[in-house]
Amino acid sequence: MIEPTLALQTAIRGALVDAPGVLALVPAGNIRSGSTRPDKMPCIIMSDGNTALHGHDYRSQRTAWVYLDLHIWTLDAGQDAAKEIAGAVTAALDKPLNFKGCDCDHFRVTRSTFPRDPDPAYGHGVLSVEAFIRWIV
């Protein structure tokens, strides 16, 4: 398995590009990982996230909690558009995700926030997610 954060990003991206409700609002090419304000909008950018290793279980599986944020950006569409995209993303992630090389025992969207950008032309939303992932070492 690849690093747990990358596995989670891959699973989330797969779920989002398979969701018609999300693709109606954000082109598939604008759903990616990254760390800066994007140049193409609307978009969903997954943060680098972080991993809290939780050790090994009795079958030599490694376990970890993985946390990351999904940043939703719009331009000239306002906060309401960011909130609409956040709703579509939350609905798309409200099902089991498809992981390769590992198992996910727990996944959920834990928080949403909509901070104001200094430039009022931008809409910005942040969805925080958590997952508990197991894989064979």
Side-chain angles (χ1 to χ4, degrees), residues 1-136:
M1 181 196 75
I2 55 178
E3 198 275 334
T5 304
L6 294 175
L8 181 58
Q9 288 175 333
T10 301
I12 289 172
R13 186 176 191 287
L16 297 181
V17 299
D18 286 343
V22 173
L23 292 183
L25 301 170
V26 179
N30 292 3
I31 302 172
R32 62 178 181 79
S33 61
S35 62
T36 61
R37 185 191 291 169
D39 54 352
K40 296 178 183 177
M41 293 193 218
C43 75
I44 301 166
I45 297 183
M46 292 175 278
S47 69
D48 292 334
N50 63 70
T51 300
L53 294 174
H54 199 36
H56 293 79
D57 73 2
Y58 64 94
R59 294 175 292 178
S60 296
Q61 287 186 333
R62 183 167 297 264
T63 58
W65 281 99
V66 182
Y67 307 92
L68 64 86
D69 293 328
L70 288 77
H71 291 263
I72 298 161
W73 290 95
T74 62
L75 180 60
D76 297 326
Q79 288 294 91
D80 289 345
K83 290 177 181 178
E84 182 179 5
I85 294 168
V89 168
T90 301
L93 296 178
D94 191 23
K95 63 179 181 174
L97 298 179
N98 184 18
F99 284 83
K100 291 186 180 183
C102 63
D103 294 302
C104 182
D105 294 332
H106 168 86
F107 174 82
R108 71 181 179 135
V109 176
T110 60
R111 179 175 178 258
S112 65
T113 186
F114 300 91
R116 295 281 177 192
D117 192 87
D119 184 340
Y122 290 92
H124 184 202
V126 181
L127 295 176
S128 298
V129 301
E130 68 180 18
F132 188 74
I133 297 175
R134 293 181 290 114
W135 68 99
I136 299 290

